[in-house]
Amino acid sequence: MLKKIPNILTIGRIIIVPFFVLAFYLPGFYGDLTALILFIIASFTDFLDGMLARMLGQESKLGELLDPIADKIIVATALILLVMDGTIRNYEVIAAIIILTREILISGLREFLAKGQIKLPVSNLAKLKTVLQMVAIGLLLSGDTGNKIINFEDYNAQTIGIVLLWLSAALTLFTGYDYLRKGIDHAISEDNKD
């Protein structure tokens, strides 16, 4: 199981997290660049491991277990670090809370539905939310370096990152509600069987 390429990528994504945290605290250009590159690698392996698992026929229970955990760890870590250093501040923190709350909610729903052998497929809207979220976090991680590269009068990397974070939070609410509704409908139908 551990020799399967998708599982190696997923485990690698978990292993990246402490290095990502260390890189986040490196000052200046190299700190910004290293943290951003590690986050991009983690985000890309998220896309790659699922695709390879399907292409190579290497889907596994271990991958099914670890993949969503790895995703949530990197996103939660990045958001917490960005809040701690003040990149995400004031009311912007609400967007981060919405995203983290949804991740916890969906994890619980998937666990509950798995007991009934019911899968909770990822919708296209949820995939779009993930892409927006990763781009938003990537822009925010780029720090001052990103602001020097992306700077259009009133909009720089940080401003665009915050706008995209709010957009992904809005999609998070919408897709989270859809998943929650499906979970509640299933729970009610199971209760009615008793």
Side-chain angles (χ1 to χ4, degrees):
M1 277 302 155
L2 290 174
K3 291 180 182 172
K4 292 184 175 184
I5 295 168
N7 290 347
I8 292 168
L9 290 173
T10 301
I11 292 166
R13 195 156 70 252
I14 295 169
I15 292 169
I16 281 176
V17 172
F19 297 101
F20 167 69
V21 172
L22 289 173
F24 184 84
Y25 286 107
L26 291 174
F29 172 78
Y30 293 107
D32 292 345
L33 188 64
T34 307
L36 178 60
I37 287 170
L38 288 173
F39 185 78
I40 289 170
I41 290 169
S43 299
F44 183 67
T45 61
D46 176 24
F47 161 75
L48 196 60
D49 64 7
M51 185 184 73
L52 286 175
R54 288 183 293 279
M55 270 178 36
L56 302 173
Q58 292 187 345
E59 294 171 296
S60 67
K61 291 294 178 192
L62 181 65
E64 225 176 281
L65 168 74
L66 291 180
D67 185 59
I69 292 169
D71 300 346
K72 285 161 187 52
I73 289 172
I74 193 73
V75 167
T77 301
L79 287 173
I80 289 167
L81 290 172
L82 289 165
V83 168
M84 279 178 56
D85 88 334
T87 302
I88 298 174
R89 62 186 183 284
N90 301 328
Y91 293 110
E92 299 159 358
V93 174
I94 294 168
I97 291 169
I98 289 169
I99 291 166
L100 290 174
T101 302
R102 184 231 188 232
E103 297 303 335
I104 294 164
L105 176 74
I106 298 306
S107 294
L109 273 174
R110 281 206 169 102
E111 187 178 324
F112 168 72
L113 293 173
K115 290 176 187 171
Q117 307 270 322
I118 294 169
K119 296 219 180 223
L120 197 60
V122 179
S123 69
N124 287 333
L125 208 52
K127 288 177 185 175
L128 174 63
K129 182 264 323 168
T130 301
V131 169
L132 283 176
Q133 181 177 285
M134 295 308 192
V135 171
I137 293 170
L139 285 168
L140 294 171
L141 286 170
S142 69
D144 290 333
T145 305
N147 286 339
K148 288 174 187 165
I149 296 168
I150 301 172
N151 199 337
F152 310 104
E153 292 182 26
D154 294 336
Y155 294 95
N156 58 23
Q158 303 300 291
T159 314
I160 296 167
I162 292 295
V163 168
L164 291 177
L165 190 73
W166 276 111
L167 224 95
S168 68
L171 284 175
T172 291
L173 282 173
F174 186 78
T175 59
Y177 168 77
D178 191 42
Y179 287 142
L180 182 61
R181 187 178 47 78
K182 288 175 184 170
I184 289 171
D185 287 348
H186 173 70
I188 290 170
S189 69
E190 286 297 305
D191 283 345
N192 289 337
K193 287 179 185 176
D194 295 339

